[in-house]
Structure formats: structure tokens, C-alpha cells
Amino acid sequence: LDFANYKEALDLIEKSRYILIITHVNPDADSISSALALSNLFFENRIKHKVFNVSSDLPQNLDFINRFDKITDQLPKFYDLAISVDCGTIKRLGFELPSDIPLINIDHHKSNDDFGTINIVDSNRSSTAEIVYDFFKFNGLYITKHSATALYTGIYDDSLRFSIARCDEMTFEKANFLVKCGANPSFIANKLLRRDSLAKYRVIPKVLNSLELFDEGKIAFIKAEPLWLKQTGAHVRDCEDALDMIMSMAIVKIAVFLRVVNNEIRVSARSKGEIDVSKPISKFGGGGHTNAAGCTLETTNLEEAKNMVLKEILETR
Ligand code: 5GP
Ligand code: MN
Ligand code: MN
């Protein structure tokens, strides 16, 4: 990792007239938080910019982060610099960035192939928010309460609440400093974890009930049928916690969650320990980390999708 990149990135930011901060498709807390930490920094320093996501369907439980309501799905007419956050591949931007626009690629996916003009990529970090934190610190930039809240949220969520293997002493050091800067851990945890809809608890039992086990229970599959979402009024995002629950079973080593989104099937896969689930998932054009990966399949047939993914997992074991 070259620390000069952080300075170079700041130089480019200061030279630019209008900056587009890009969060990844199906955005999560890490991507949104990293973007909003930068957005607050830019706003406070009168740097013209927009935070963009290709969809307007954002995780609303992040609405407590300052400037969340400013995120847009409309590309500005003019911008002369792009910054992607938490995008493991250029496809994750969700649109074709014009080739004459310089791109600062800030990310922590090991699959990241340095697609940017400047690349600040460190796959040893728990979250992209940790790397954005380094961007502030290495450049001597003041972290306000708003940026601290954003960065703490990204670290907390993407480290699976400080539990993944890549969550190390540096992660805790950063979290500690962010709390000093005004991030409030219990406020953030309550905002993320204590505002679920009733519909979520109507749909989760259906999702859990779809559990199928393979390979002596080592491999688990669950799904969300579109009908169940209609019946309960739940958002497809409400089903995601079921995957965590399945992973908590002692026998399960790999778990896969399948659901229909926009006439395709979104696949989320998780694994324990040394098992690299990003390997079979990358066969379908997806990617991610050793223990968490995802892809999209061009079908709406959940049974067919299950068979395809199961076959690949069994073959890459
Ligand atoms: P999730 O299952 O939570 O959507 O994603 C798990 C991990 O895999 C995340 O780190 C995410 O960035 C990555 N991921 C999910 N979907 C895709 C995808 O379609 N392509 C790539 N390259 N990575 C993905
Ligand atoms: Mn992400
Ligand atoms: Mn991330």
C-alpha cells in the first residue's frame, strides 16, 4: 500500500470543480457511510459534489447519517472527478463512467483490480470506511461528528459488528478515535438494529422455513419467494438477516441466500473460517471476500439458481 496515494487523491480533489462520489449497486452501510463521510468533509469545505447511487432504493436504516437525504440517482450534467467507494469491480458502479473522467478507487475487496486512476485499495481492512478514515488521518483532515458517525457506522456494519477476521487492533483504534470525534456507538447500534418493520418478522419465518441442507448440513440454502414479500409487505432487504441466522448453526459452513430482484436472482453467500466462498461465486461474474460474496444470475427460477450455485460450491470445495 502506497501512502502517497492518499496525498495524490487529495491533490486531485482540490483541483477538481465538481466531484461525483459513487456508491455500489445494492448499496450497503459501508459504501453509503464511506461516501457520506467524504460528502460531509466536502460540504464543510465548500467542495462541489454529489453522492450517487444508480438506484433510489437505499437502506433507510442509514437515514441518521448527515446528508443521507442528499444521495441522488441522477447523474449531474457536469463532473470532472469521480470517487468510487467499496466497489470491488468497475461493474459495481452500476453505469458506464466516461473514460475521460479520472477516478479515485477507494476499496477493500481483494478482487479489486485497480481500475481507478488513483487506487487506494487495501484488502486487509475490515471495511472501506477504515480506508476513508486513513484518507482523513494521513492528510491531517479534521473529522467532524458527522463524518465520525458515518465512518463508525461503516466500520461497525462491514466488520459484522467487530467480529470478522480482518477486524484487528487498527480497526478498534479507529473506532476508538471516531468515538472521541463524536460517534455514539449505542445511538448508531440502536438506529441500525432497533427500527425493524413488523413485516420483516412475518417474512423471516417463511425464509427460514425454506432451509435446505446439503453435504451433511455443511451447505445451507434459503430463499425469498416474491409471493412471500407480497403476502407480508416486506422489503426484500428485510429477509437478509435470515442468512446470518442460518450461519449461526454449528453444522453450517457455507450458506447461500437467493431472492428475485428486478427480474434477476441476487445471490448472497457466506462461509466460515478458511473456506473461500468468493471462488465459486466469482464463476458467476460476482465477487466479494473470503467469507462473504455475491453475484447476480440472469434467471428468475429459484430452483434452477440453487442447483447452479450448489453444483459450483461442491465442485470448488
Ligand atoms: P452481499 O451478499 O451482502 O450483497 O455481498 C457480500 C459481499 O460480496 C460484499 O462485500 C459485496 O461487495 C460483494 N458482492 C455482492 N454482490 C456482488 C457482485 O455482484 N459482484 C461483486 N464483484 N461483488 C459482489
Ligand atoms: Mn459493500
Ligand atoms: Mn465493504
Side-chain angles (χ1 to χ4, degrees):
L1 186 68
D2 189 352
F3 295 107
N5 291 355
Y6 292 90
K7 180 77 180 75
E8 245 179 81
L10 183 61
D11 285 344
L12 192 52
I13 287 165
E14 285 173 337
K15 269 194 286 202
S16 300
R17 287 160 59 203
Y18 199 105
I19 302 171
L20 185 69
I21 306 173
I22 304 160
T23 54
H24 65 66
V25 292
N26 306 117
D28 55 11
D30 191 25
S31 196
I32 299 280
S33 300
S34 296
L36 290 179
L38 291 173
S39 176
N40 278 289
L41 171 75
F42 292 174
F43 180 74
E44 289 146 12
N45 290 279
R46 296 192 176 80
I47 295 172
K48 289 206 185 87
H49 71 284
K50 274 276 181 314
V51 176
F52 172 82
N53 187 272
V54 73
S55 160
S56 59
D57 184 13
L58 306 172
Q60 292 298 319
N61 63 350
L62 300 170
D63 64 359
F64 64 95
I65 303 173
N66 198 46
R67 300 185 62 76
F68 175 84
D69 56 333
K70 305 286 192 295
I71 302 172
T72 177
D73 60 354
Q74 301 297 309
L75 284 170
K77 278 194 203 79
F78 172 82
Y79 52 97
D80 54 359
L81 174 63
I83 303 176
S84 64
V85 282
D86 202 40
C87 297
T89 64
I90 195 143
K91 259 181 64 188
R92 301 277 287 163
L93 274 56
F95 73 105
E96 188 112 17
L97 187 71
S99 59
D100 59 334
I101 303 290
L103 172 64
I104 301 173
N105 163 23
I106 307 179
D107 186 42
H108 71 128
H109 289 89
K110 68 174 183 225
S111 60
N112 198 300
D113 61 357
D114 290 349
F115 54 78
T117 319
I118 297 176
N119 301 287
I120 307 181
V121 178
D122 184 354
S123 62
N124 292 316
R125 297 292 91 230
S126 73
S127 50
T128 296
E130 271 202 53
I131 302 173
V132 174
Y133 173 101
D134 289 335
F135 171 81
F136 276 79
K137 291 295 275 184
F138 292 149
N139 285 311
L141 301 167
Y142 183 75
I143 303 178
T144 61
K145 182 176 177 164
H146 290 321
S147 289
T149 299
L151 291 174
Y152 182 96
T153 301
I155 293 172
Y156 176 73
D157 191 85
D158 230 37
S159 70
L160 304 185
R161 304 176 208 155
F162 304 110
S163 72
I164 63 170
R166 281 168 302 149
C167 179
D168 57 17
E169 70 187 83
M170 265 148 75
T171 315
F172 284 101
E173 209 173 290
K174 289 170 184 178
N176 174 65
F177 189 77
L178 291 170
V179 174
K180 281 185 191 164
C181 293
N184 180 333
S186 82
F187 170 83
I188 292 169
N190 281 300
K191 287 291 187 192
L192 291 177
L193 304 173
R194 296 282 182 262
R195 294 191 296 161
D196 291 342
S197 66
L198 169 62
K200 171 170 170 174
Y201 294 86
R202 299 289 190 219
V203 80
I204 288 262
K206 296 175 190 282
V207 176
L208 291 175
N209 209 29
S210 74
L211 174 67
E212 287 184 87
L213 294 171
F214 305 93
D215 195 17
E216 296 167 331
K218 287 194 200 71
I219 305 170
F221 274 76
I222 52 170
K223 63 178 175 179
E225 294 275 5
L227 176 66
W228 304 341
L229 299 174
K230 257 219 244 127
Q231 286 170 337
T232 57
H235 190 284
V236 68
R237 212 172 265 130
D238 290 329
C239 305
E240 285 173 7
D241 280 354
L243 183 56
D244 255 344
M245 297 180 193
I246 298 295
M247 280 302 282
S248 298
M249 262 189 292
I251 50 168
V252 171
K253 305 298 176 210
I254 297 177
V256 180
F257 171 45
L258 305 169
R259 69 283 205 192
V260 181
V261 179
N262 299 330
N263 279 312
E264 292 177 318
I265 289 179
R266 281 275 317 143
V267 181
S268 283
R270 302 288 183 266
S271 64
K272 286 177 184 166
E274 301 292 300
I275 303 169
D276 185 357
V277 80
S278 72
K279 237 193 223 164
I281 292 301
S282 66
K283 296 275 171 63
F284 302 105
H289 311 285
T290 306
N291 294 142
C295 66
T296 304
L297 303 173
E298 283 175 23
T299 170
T300 54
N301 186 326
L302 288 161
E303 190 65 18
E304 183 193 348
K306 180 189 75 189
N307 291 328
M308 281 164 66
V309 177
L310 176 61
K311 185 163 173 278
E312 207 53 59
I313 289 172
L314 290 169
E315 275 171 15
T316 47
R317 255 182 325 179

